Every structure is written in structure tokens, then in C-alpha cells.
Amino acid sequence: MEPARTEERDVPKGRRRFLKWTLGALGALNGLLLGVPFVKNLFTSPPAEKNPFEKVTDLQNLPVGQPMDLHFDVREKKAYYHEVVEHRVWVIKHPEGVTTFSPICPHMGCYYKWDPKTGHFECPCHGSVYAKDGRVLAGPAPRPLDTMPHKVENHTLLVEWVRYKVGISKKVPV
């Protein structure tokens, strides 16, 4: 006697064909969507370099010889993420020009302040004291206050925000 044959289940060919076409179309669409940025980069030139200098203030608004703690916004772009970051800078207007200091103490990275009573910049974290020209007068600071790159155009102060390494004797950008 022959063993009884089990009938194979026939999957309808129409349904199998539909699934193959659907998966193939979805795979092609996925490849197309992922490939568009790559192809775009092949045929377009890179964006022009952004001017690193940001407008801070009109110099006519500043008193001569008085340190001013000024705030300005910088639009930062990291890949597809855009963010507006507020930065600070100390500005002293002189008859012959302008001095701009980073607001960050070169010792440990704290924000220092101007004390009008003593006529010095003072760091509240570790007691470093700086003269109006940025020289170290007292404390553990390893170097003078860091000056910021700046330029003046049409009586407008423009500053390039640069963060420097702290705790070392040389002024080195991060």
C-alpha cells in the first residue's frame, strides 16, 4: 500500500506576486529617498562660508573707558540642527579703538565680573583679579584675560565668538 499523499497547500500565485511587487516597490522607494541627499551633494557646490563675525553693538552707544558686559546671539548649525546661542563679551571702548575680552576666566572657566569699586575684573570662583587691560594682578590664573577677534564696520562692533582652553598658560582655541 502506498502512503497517503498529503496535499500541498497552494498559495495563490496572485497573492505571492502582489507581495513581491509591493516589497520591491517599497525597497526602491526607500533607496530613492535615501539616495536623494547623496545625489544632491554630487551636483551642488558646498554652501559659502558664513562670516564668523556677529554684530554686538553700535560703538556710539558705549562710554569711553568703561567695561561693558554685552550679550549677542549666534546662530549655530550642527548638521541639520540649528540653534540660537547667546554669548557674552566684555568690551572697553578707548579713544583709539576697542578691546574685547572673553567673559570666561582662563583659570577654571568661570564667568568673572567687573567691580567698579576696585576698578578690576574679579573671578568669584578662585579669586583671580585682572587689571582693566586684562593683566593678571592676583590669584591662580595662568594667563591674562583672553581677547576676542573683532572688527569695526560703520561704527558697529562685530565679534567672532571663540572659546579658549582653560587652565593652561597659552591661549589655545578649543
Side-chain angles (χ1 to χ4, degrees):
M1 223 177 184
E2 277 185 39
R5 271 179 87 188
T6 59
E7 290 186 23
E8 294 180 13
R9 291 189 177 170
D10 288 332
V11 176
K13 291 184 181 186
R15 186 167 58 170
R16 185 175 291 161
R17 186 178 305 148
F18 172 76
L19 287 174
K20 282 183 182 180
W21 276 97
T22 302
L23 290 176
L26 288 175
L29 180 63
N30 191 24
L32 180 67
L33 290 175
L34 292 175
V36 167
F38 176 73
V39 172
K40 179 183 171 192
N41 285 334
L42 285 177
F43 296 107
T44 59
S45 59
E49 278 294 314
K50 181 182 173 268
N51 183 4
F53 289 91
E54 299 289 338
K55 179 182 176 185
V56 176
T57 190
D58 186 343
L59 286 179
Q60 295 172 341
N61 297 335
L62 296 180
V64 175
Q66 179 65 38
M68 301 296 294
D69 182 15
L70 301 177
H71 300 243
F72 63 102
D73 292 334
V74 175
R75 184 172 174 85
E76 294 182 356
K77 179 181 176 186
K78 297 174 184 167
Y80 293 105
Y81 181 70
H82 298 263
E83 179 181 26
V84 176
V85 179
E86 182 183 70
H87 290 296
R88 296 172 48 196
V89 66
W90 281 97
V91 178
I92 303 174
K93 180 180 173 183
H94 310 286
E96 66 279 354
V98 175
T99 303
T100 57
F101 292 114
S102 168
I104 300 170
C105 178
H107 176 236
M108 293 295 289
C110 302
Y111 285 86
Y112 59 86
K113 60 183 174 27
W114 170 254
D115 186 349
K117 293 176 187 168
T118 62
H120 300 121
F121 291 108
E122 298 175 0
C123 181
C125 297
H126 297 95
S128 292
V129 178
Y130 305 91
K132 193 186 271 191
D133 64 0
R135 289 178 295 117
V136 179
L137 298 176
R143 65 176 185 267
L145 293 177
D146 297 321
T147 55
M148 302 291 280
H150 70 276
K151 60 184 177 180
V152 177
E153 293 179 354
N154 298 326
H155 303 289
T156 301
L157 176 64
L158 304 168
V159 173
E160 177 182 1
W161 176 256
V162 179
R163 190 169 188 93
Y164 298 99
K165 289 184 180 181
V166 297
I168 59 175
S169 61
K170 294 176 100 177
K171 180 178 159 182
V172 177
V174 174

